[in-house]
Structure formats: C-alpha cells, structure tokens
Amino acid sequence: MVNVGVIGMGYWGPNILRNFRSIDGVNVIAVCDKNPEVFKRIASLMNGIRVETDPEKVILSTDIDAVAIVTPVSTHYLLSKLALENGKHVFVEKPLTLKSSQAEELIELANVKRLKLMVDHTFIFTGAVKKIKQLIEYGEVGSIYYYDSVRVNLGLFQHDVNVIWDLAPHDFSIMSYIIKDDPVAISAWGSSHVNIREDIAYITVHYSTNIIAHISVNWLSPVKVRTTLIGGEKKMLVWNDLNADEKIKIYDKGVEVKNTEGIYDLLINYRTGDMWAPKVDQVEALKHECIHFIECIENDFAPINDGQCGLKVVKMLEACDQSLINDGRPVELKKSGTKVPIPLGDEL
Amino acid sequence: MVNVGVIGMGYWGPNILRNFRSIDGVNVIAVCDKNPEVFKRIASLMNGIRVETDPEKVILSTDIDAVAIVTPVSTHYLLSKLALENGKHVFVEKPLTLKSSQAEELIELANVKRLKLMVDHTFIFTGAVKKIKQLIEYGEVGSIYYYDSVRVNLGLFQHDVNVIWDLAPHDFSIMSYIIKDDPVAISAWGSSHVNIREDIAYITVHYSTNIIAHISVNWLSPVKVRTTLIGGEKKMLVWNDLNADEKIKIYDKGVEVKNTEGIYDLLINYRTGDMWAPKVDQVEALKHECIHFIECIENDFAPINDGQCGLKVVKMLEACDQSLINDGRPVELKKSGTKVPIPLGDEL
Amino acid sequence: MVNVGVIGMGYWGPNILRNFRSIDGVNVIAVCDKNPEVFKRIASLMNGIRVETDPEKVILSTDIDAVAIVTPVSTHYLLSKLALENGKHVFVEKPLTLKSSQAEELIELANVKRLKLMVDHTFIFTGAVKKIKQLIEYGEVGSIYYYDSVRVNLGLFQHDVNVIWDLAPHDFSIMSYIIKDDPVAISAWGSSHVNIREDIAYITVHYSTNIIAHISVNWLSPVKVRTTLIGGEKKMLVWNDLNADEKIKIYDKGVEVKNTEGIYDLLINYRTGDMWAPKVDQVEALKHECIHFIECIENDFAPINDGQCGLKVVKMLEACDQSLINDGRPVELKKSGTKVPIPLGDEL
Amino acid sequence: MVNVGVIGMGYWGPNILRNFRSIDGVNVIAVCDKNPEVFKRIASLMNGIRVETDPEKVILSTDIDAVAIVTPVSTHYLLSKLALENGKHVFVEKPLTLKSSQAEELIELANVKRLKLMVDHTFIFTGAVKKIKQLIEYGEVGSIYYYDSVRVNLGLFQHDVNVIWDLAPHDFSIMSYIIKDDPVAISAWGSSHVNIREDIAYITVHYSTNIIAHISVNWLSPVKVRTTLIGGEKKMLVWNDLNADEKIKIYDKGVEVKNTEGIYDLLINYRTGDMWAPKVDQVEALKHECIHFIECIENDFAPINDGQCGLKVVKMLEACDQSLINDGRPVELKKSGTKVPIPLGDEL
C-alpha cells in the first residue's frame, strides 16, 4: 500500500486525486490547497481524506510515502525539493521546473535519496501516442520526415508562464518519446496581445537529420485544435486528439522519386492508398500514469517519464525563451544542459 | 471586344481559357503550349481558336490585344516583357517574377507603354476573402491580432520553385489585401525530403504592431488543409476554404483584461457567444478576376492586383529565400525594394 | 432540505446520484442496488450515504422525502406505486411505465396523495432543446414542416425493451415539448438481428397538419449519430448533439412558391442565406432537471415533465408496438388513452 | 465508331454530352433541346455538333446509331419507343418510365430489334459502390443486416415527379446491385409542404430475410446528406458520398450473442476494432457508364444496367406510390410485375 498526498486542487489536481483514489494499493491520505474554497467544488472526491491548506503539512507528514505536486510551475522546484529531502516520492506536474539547473538538482537529490521523481507527461500514456510509437518502432512509418503539431484554443491563460510553457511541453515530451534522434536546436517566435506574456507562439525544432518539427500554440483561437501530422518515408499519419473514435489515421500515401533519365516532370510519383484508423486504448491516460508511478515505487523501476525526461523538456523551454528574445534565432540544445546561440553566418 | 491569347495549357491554363471564353466582350484568338499533346486533353475548350506551340507567335500577333501568361515562374519575366514591348496587356500567373528587380522593370514598362499588368492573385476575388475584407473594414473584427494559415497537401511538386514559392503567394496576396499595415520582416524555416528544394516550410511575418502572421506550407501532408484563423480584438474567424457551404465562421469570442485591483486570477475574462457563417459569393473567383482584367483594359482602370501587388509578393518571397539560408533569421522588407538581414545579437 | 434516496446504480444511476449530491438543499440519504458489486465502482460518490440492496428499505424509510427510481423499465410501475403509497415524491427514469394504464394509475395516485411524479426526460433540460423551443416560440422557424431524428449507435442493448423503448422516448418527449400540435397516429417498422427484440426501427409520427416526424433508431450502427433536422416555413435547423460547440445550426434557407402565371419552372425559388449557431447553455441538463424536481417539491409546482408527459410518451411507445406487429400500419393515438388501428381504405 | 445523339440539355444532359465526347470511338453527331437558349450556356461543348430542337430530328436521323435520352421522366417512354422502332440503341435517364408496363414494352421491343436498352443508374459505376459490392461478395461484411440511406438536400424540385421518383432510384438500383435477395414489399410515407407532390418521404423495403432497408429522401433539408450505413454480421460500413477522400469507412465492429447459460447481462458482447477506408476509383462514374454503353453496342453484351434493372426500379417506385396513398401499408413486389397490397391481420 502506497500512501499518497495530493497538493494543488486547481484545474488538474482533482483528476490526479480521482485517479489515485481509483487504484488498488493506493491510499490517498491528504489533499491540500491554499484556497479552502476549492474543496467545496470537489466535496464528493474527498470523503475520508485529510484536508490541508499548507503544503508542508502534507510533505512533512510521516504517514505519507509519495506526493503529487499539482501547483503552479513556479512552485514545483521548492515543493519537490522539500518532498524529496523528506523522503517522499514525487509525481510533479509538467513542466518539472522553471530552470534546468533546478531540474538537475532534483534529479540528483532523487538519486541520492533513492526516491522516484516522475513528471506528469500524460500524453505518453495515451492510447494514441502509444500506438504511434509502436507504428514508428515497427517500421510502418519509415524514416520520419516531420512532426507538425497545432495546439490552439481560447485560454486558459496561465499567470506564471507563457503559452509555450503551458502547451509545448506536451509536444516536447511526445517528441522525445517517439523520435529517436535528439533535437539539436530550437527557434521560437511569439507575440502577446492580452497580457505581457506571449499568447501565440510558433516553435521550430531542428534535428541533425532532415527531420523538422513545428509546434503552433495559441491561447487566442476561437476553435480548439489538437492535431498532429507526422510524415514518414513510407506512411503519413494524422492524430486528431479531439476525434473521439478515430484519433489516429494512417495514410498509405507518399512521394517517390525515380532516378529515370528523361522528362523531368515524370520523376516524382505520388502513391495514394488506403487509410487505416487502428483501435486505440481508451482507458484514461492519467490512470495508466498513476499506476505506473505506484508500480515504479513498489518495484523500484525507473519511470519512463522520469526526471531526465522532465529535464529535457525544461531545456527545450529554456531554449524557446532564449530564442524568443533573440528574434527567433535558433538556440542550440547542449547535452550538458547549457545552451548557446548557434552562430549565424560568418560575421557572427 | 478584347482579343486575348492564352499561353500555357498546363494545370491552370485551361481554367483561364475557359473563363475568358465565358465572358461577353472577349474573343480568345489563340492558345499556346510548347507540348502539342496537351491540346488533345482540352479539345472541347478550343473550337475555333488558333493553336500555337511558340509563345512568340501569340505575343507578336497583331490581332491580339492582351495575353494571359500561365507558364512556369522562370519564364514570366521574359514573356511578360516581350508582350508589353509589343503593346499587349498582360495577365500573368503568380508569382509575378523570380526577382523583384524584374517585377519593377515590368511595372515601369507597363507604365511607359500605358498597358495593364495584372497578376493572378485569384484568392482576392473569392467570395470568402471579399467577405473577410468587408468584415475587417466594417470594424467587426476589431484590431487584428494574428493571421495563421495552414496550406498543406500531398504535392503537386513544382519543378522550378520550392513549396514557399508555390503556396505562400496566396497568403501574401490575401494579407496585403486585408491587413492595412505593411509587414516589416519575414522569417522562414524549411526542410527538403524528396528533392533538393524545400517541401515543408514555416513562415512568420512580422509587423510594426503586435500583429503576427504565420504560414505553414507543406507538399508532404497526407491530408489537404486550407484553413486560416484570423484573431481580432472583437471577433475571431475561421476560414476553411475546403468547406463547401460554410467557408467562413465568425466567432463572437474573445478575451478581456480587466484593470481591477484584486486577485490576479480574476483579471482575464473569456467571452463566448454565437457563431455566424455568412453567405459568401459562390461565383468562381477566376471568372470575377478575368472580368476585372477586361474591365481595367476597357476603362483604363488600375487592377486591384496590379504589378505593385505582384511586386510586394515577390519581395516577400525573396525575403523568405534569404531567411531560409540564414537559419530563419528575420529579413527586413525594405520599401525601396532591397532587403537586408536584421542584425541580431549583442552589438545592438 | 429535501431528503432523497436513489434506487438503481447501473449505467445512469450514478449520474442522478452525483447531481443530487451537488445541489444545495438536497440531502442524499440512501442509495440502493440489488448488486452490491456496483458500489465499488462508485465508491467516491457515496461517502456518508446509506447503502441498501433492497429498494423497499429505501422506499419505506421514514427519513426520506423523495426517491429517484433508475431501474429497468419493467420495475418502474411497482416501485413508483410503492413509493407514492408511502408518501414519497417520485423521480422515475424514462419511459414511465410499460403500459399506459399503469402510468394513468400512478398519475392518479400522485394527485390523490399530492405528491410530485416526474419522469426523467433529460433532453428537455438541455441548452440545445431549450434554445430550439425558444426559436420556435419566437416565430423564427415559422410553421414546422418536419422533425427528422437519427439516433443510432452500437448497443447498448437493453434486456427488457427493444430499441424503440430505449431511444425513441427522447424524441417523443422533445416533440411534445417543442411542437404545439398533438400527434394523431404512429407507424413503426422494425427488424431484429441479434436478439428477439427489434434492434433497428423506423418510426413515423403523423399530425393533423402536414407536419411529419420521423425517428430512426438503431443499436447496430458502427457510428454514433444524434442528429435532428427541423424544417420550418422560414428557417431550418440542424441539431447535432455530438458537436461540442455548435450543437444547433440555424439556416436561413427555404423554398418559396410564387403564384406567377407563366413558365412552371420559375415558380419555385430557393432562398439561401447565412447560417447561425447560437450559444447554448452548457450546464449539465441533468443538474437542471434535478433542481427542477426539488423546486417543484418545495414550491408545490407541477413539473414540466410530469406524469402526463410521461404518459404521452408511453402511449406513443404502445402505439409503436402495435404498429410493429401490424406491418407498420398507422396506429391512432387516442386522447382517452386507448389506441385503435386507423381503418385503411374503404374495403377494409 | 458509334454515332450518338443526345436529347435533353437540362441539368444532366451536358454531362452525358461531355462524357460521350471524351470517349475514343464515339462520334457525337447531334444534340437536341426544345429550348434553344440552353445551347448558349454549353457553347464550348458543342463545336462541330448538329443542333436540333425537335427530338424526332435526332431519333429519325440515319447517321445516328444510338441516342441518349436525358429528358423529363414523362417523356422517356415515347422517345425511347420511337428510337428503338427506328433502330437506335437507347441510353435513357433514370427512372426508365412512369409505368412498369411501359418499361416491359420497351424491353420487349429492344429484344425483338436486338438493340441495347440501358438505364442511367450512374451510382453503380462509382468507385464507392463497386468497392462495396466487392466487399460484400468477398464475404468481408457477412450476412447483410440493413441498408440505411439518407439522401436529403434543399431542392431541386422536379416538376413531373415527387421526391421519391427523383432520389430513391439511386438507392433502388444500388440495392439491386449489391444485395442478392430480391425485395418482397415496400412501404412509403410522405408529406408535401411546398407543392402538391411529396417533398419528404420515408421508404422501408422488406426482404424475405431479416434484411431491412430504409431510405430517407427530402427536398427541404438545409444541409445536403448522402450517407448510407450498411450493417453486416461481420463488419459495418459507412458510405459518405460527400467525403472527397474517404468515401467508404469499414468498421470492424459488431455484436455477438453468446449462448452461455448464466447472467443475462453477459450474453451480448461488443466487438470494436480498427476502421479502414479503402482507396476507391476516382474516375467519373458517368464516363465508365458511357464507355460501358458503347462496349455493349460494339460487342453485343447485355448492359449491367439494362432494361430489366430499370424495370425493377420502376416497379419499386410504383409500389411506393401505391403505399403512399394507402397510409404506408406495405405493397408486395410481384415478380410478374403486378403489385397487390399485403393483407394486414386476420380480419382483412
């Protein structure tokens, strides 16, 4: 039995609470939010659970083995650190921290303390993403040409981060999960209209190969879009996460270049074939993820979305920030964790 | 009666021919293509029309007043120049030329010769774009926040230009038509997978205000998408050009920031109201455009898509090319016609 | 404070429970299901609530004012009767009973006992249906020409009723709510493929005017459809209940017949104008309905979905059954509650 | 070389003309319409073709081998008869005639004269229907459970027939083509709102097995729908003819009934698997059909859509008419060509 405390009952916290409560072998001991009003809204989720308004009361509690930290980004580092120092396993909302140095510190601390540090990258537990990974690994898609994601809607504006920090971590974590190559640089362009922080942004992620990834994020769209195109040498696929029944469509379409000598116009052939929408696991991804957290604790496994995964995402976010203030100049993703601008042209 | 010759019977030429033939007051005298095979395919369009395989035979013909040049981009300049020099009005496919200097030369030549030079920017004659322009001009949309266009499909690869030169002129001409401000700089990122030329690219267009425009073009998408989001202070709209009946949807949605002192979380309000899909003119845009060309000739009017419009688009394409080879660095759009990279980095 | 017991924790019961729990002024005292296994599934909904497996324990309980009966149709009559006899207000799942005579008995009993009898016709509490009713009442739609509903999906097969009894009550209750005229006859055709009961059926409802209503219900469709077309003299509307954001679309389209003398072909004109999707209330309909039940109890109001409404629906279902066994012959809907086949032609 | 004349240049005639002109081995000699105005609209299709306003001028012409009759239904019989009597092969618009006795007479006449009589059932030449037939014949779908078609739009009202005669022949011809069993009876309900003829109707087609077919036709719908669900024992499919790229979707979904002794609730299992959209032939169906007509003439083959097919459809339409005036009573489809009402109940 793993005893869990959940800190933060805003938009996402109740979902974490509900899922941990639904798992055998988990005992949710306490929930916490600094605003006691929120507990009224979720009264039916909380029967028999201790209620706190001070996170330390949960983190320092001796009857708790693990904490889920579902608070604003700016608080992740200190709360996670305190939890790890006090011997708690940590499941923390994405992105892991505001700075990569903080993420590195947490990773180190978890290692030393032999505790699990897992970041909530929910999407890699969805049936859709698991199926996409499988299709790529089995060679169905062939070499990947591009990953192109549109993730737009009206709000919700976050107060401590911009639209990139809010929405792009989903794609960054998915890309890390399904694309073997590591990205080498990132460019980002953004604009703010309602607040001082960017509410619209466009991110291009560069690889050492000719893979190109692009992410469009927008808090000012009248319609919600969650569509990712993935193009490969052999097949192309469309993942529409808002489609209830046919989330992934795989197209047997492509372009072939013939080396024929002859008329130039004949060199490129299009191949169009069937479309196929595989059945995908419909279980709530967050449930799979919560179970994974508990299993990693119980069996001392490394989570697939561990601190290192979280760190990668934070580094990509930092690079975006740096590119934003440099007019979209690509920012190199150093493995060591430091990022420097890529020299552009001779004079630089 | 205006006597017209049409040069180039590839993918688009037969549409130009068909539309000119359908207009009262136009007499199509000759059609031309270097490949005589194409005439078989369009036999029913050509009854009673002279057939040529050498464009000069059309351009130098004394019984012709105006020529439509529907050939590969690389030939536009020379054919248009020859036509203007020989006293013909010119309707030329987009983009106008490969270089802005060529476009400027043609504009000057047309001025001197008092001839019409019109570029085929078909989209600004569509019911959808005309309605969007009207909505913006009447103040329905409010200040524009962003223009975000996705224009992707599988092929058709063009042989003398990349995907930007193929697809982005549509957006560039629409943006010039509906956005009052002039763009000040352009960034472009691209990648090639099938051929040496870019088949996927992302373009960000910068304005002196906080308007941001972004265009995603892709020849390797398994699905065809032609969707443009336009966000404004008052309303937001979605233009889906593939939707037969409801091309434009206007959303009474928005975000308002209150200057209230107090809890930060309450500052941003969302407004969601009705959606409205106005009826749009369904007449083929190309027909309106061909009529406009003839009317400009007959009444000595300046076309709304004249050489200057074509020049603007060519300058934007040139800036894209320059940004592509500079890793996405923004390239300034000089009014004078020359473009220089914006200096980036510490020395500023 | 109204004390409520909820009987039946199958597919729909937990939703009733959750909504009653979320309303101020309601105290859910007990829940009941004959299968104690179901309580595990909904543990988090039940904290502090008495659990029973025998409905009588709830119905006879002295600390309960009202019961919600969310059990199979065949049990509605006896459970409701027992509840009314024991002085409980009754909120019962649709359809009210298996026979109209039973429904009449319950209505009479509730009258005598001065208790509320309300049938769960959830749809008339949806934002969509309320908006449709409003549009019709305000004269926006004009005289109604037709109501055409498609309500198909894969399963869930019910065990005590056929597909008509499962799905058509939704449309019957909506039609009663939005169409002023009373239907005069019903025809139904069906077919069974998997079980002995009809799993596909088509229902035509006849009015004394030229309104025609048609309902297609199907448990064997690979796709879920919930679409209703309503055509009127002035406007036409499409209600797609599966569309999250634009449930109702109103088309300014129509047909006009001119009384011109002259060429027959010119008599009919089509009018096509704008489309408009009004914002509709997004609050869960069941919550509105549960509040309505409580308000009717507290203020001694008649529910808009009272026993009489439930009776109308049961009569229509009975007529369907009778038509089904008579090869689709229309069955008259007598106001008195008895139904006789409409004579067909003189010789019959 | 087959010499063809085309009679009737209304809505559909120009398509027939265009397709015959595009086929090698066909020489279109003459076109005819009583209204000479229509020829202006289609001038570009007619170069070098003789123009007539009197159909007899075409039918009696000695230089013509075959005529296409694309005129209102009421004229089909007399024009076809005259053509066959004068030794011309006949391609006639659907439905073949207004009465089955007329259709039988034309079939007999064509037999005696050894001429081809083919009815324009275009849909059976579409890639979609050919693929559906193939899937059924290969056993992919299993025993057919139902055929459910919705064919609605705004207008076009026809002047000599009701909405059933206009739209249902498409489904009747498709059903004959893909369903092995012959229908045994038809019920139809309709209503008229704008004109004296039915503009909305619902048709149920009965088979000797438990196959049920239903067709909804409507000239008063604000949206155009062309969707057919076909459910089978093994697979279910959705054919959406308005979907440009994925016209047919095949669902590996179904219901299985287990003969287990035990809890009733466990007897029915749902199977949901992948969805698959096969590539379908995109060539214009009418072109395939025109070629088929010519090939049947040249090789003395029987057309797959011969007079007998046309007769079947006319018999079904006649049965609809009879059912309409008998309040939806099922009308038996006698093989002999006469139809009598099915007795309903004992007392009849």
Side-chain angles (χ1 to χ4, degrees), chain B residues 113-131:
Chain B
K113 292 274 192 173
R114 306 186 62 92
L115 293 166
K116 301 302 160 196
L117 171 63
M118 185 166 125
V119 187
D120 182 11
H121 292 157
T122 320
F123 271 106
I124 66 176
F125 292 88
T126 57
V129 173
K130 285 186 290 187
K131 178 62 78 174

Side-chain angles (χ1 to χ4, degrees), chain B residues 161-182:
Chain B
V161 293
N162 66 14
V163 70
I164 293 179
W165 282 73
D166 179 30
L167 296 175
H170 295 310
D171 288 295
F172 290 164
S173 60
I174 295 164
M175 287 156 60
S176 294
Y177 185 62
I178 65 172
I179 301 176
K180 263 194 185 162
D181 292 330
D182 277 319

Side-chain angles (χ1 to χ4, degrees), chain A residues 21 43-47 246, chain C residues 21 43-47 223 246:
Chain A
R21 292 210 67 180
S44 66
L45 283 171
M46 299 195 316
N47 57 315
E246 297 156 18
Chain C
R21 293 209 67 179
S44 67
L45 283 172
M46 299 194 318
N47 58 314
V223 287
E246 297 157 17

Side-chain angles (χ1 to χ4, degrees), chain D residues 67-189:
Chain D
V67 292
I69 297 171
V70 201
T71 56
V73 187
S74 53
T75 66
H76 289 181
Y77 166 65
L78 284 181
L79 291 175
S80 299
K81 191 179 170 193
L82 190 64
L84 291 168
E85 285 171 348
N86 283 279
K88 313 302 185 205
H89 302 284
V90 170
F91 176 50
V92 59
E93 199 40 44
K94 59 86 196 163
L96 174 50
T97 54
L98 280 177
K99 295 184 180 173
S100 55
S101 56
Q102 297 170 335
E104 285 163 343
E105 194 184 330
L106 295 179
I107 291 167
E108 176 63 18
L109 187 57
N111 278 344
V112 168
K113 292 275 192 171
R114 305 186 63 90
L115 292 165
K116 301 303 161 196
L117 172 63
M118 184 166 125
V119 188
D120 182 11
H121 293 158
T122 321
F123 271 105
I124 66 177
F125 292 88
T126 58
V129 173
K130 284 187 289 187
K131 178 61 80 175
I132 291 171
K133 185 180 173 64
Q134 196 189 75
L135 289 165
I136 291 171
E137 285 189 346
Y138 287 8
E140 289 275 322
V141 175
S143 306
I144 293 178
Y145 284 167
Y146 65 87
Y147 174 101
D148 187 327
S149 198
V150 176
R151 201 172 285 277
V152 308
N153 53 264
L154 190 65
L156 309 170
F157 277 75
Q158 299 216 346
H159 295 297
D160 56 349
V161 294
N162 66 15
V163 70
I164 293 179
W165 282 74
D166 179 30
L167 296 175
H170 295 309
D171 288 296
F172 291 164
S173 61
I174 294 165
M175 287 156 59
S176 293
Y177 185 61
I178 65 172
I179 301 176
K180 263 194 184 160
D181 293 330
D182 277 320
V184 295
I186 285 191
S187 319
W189 268 103

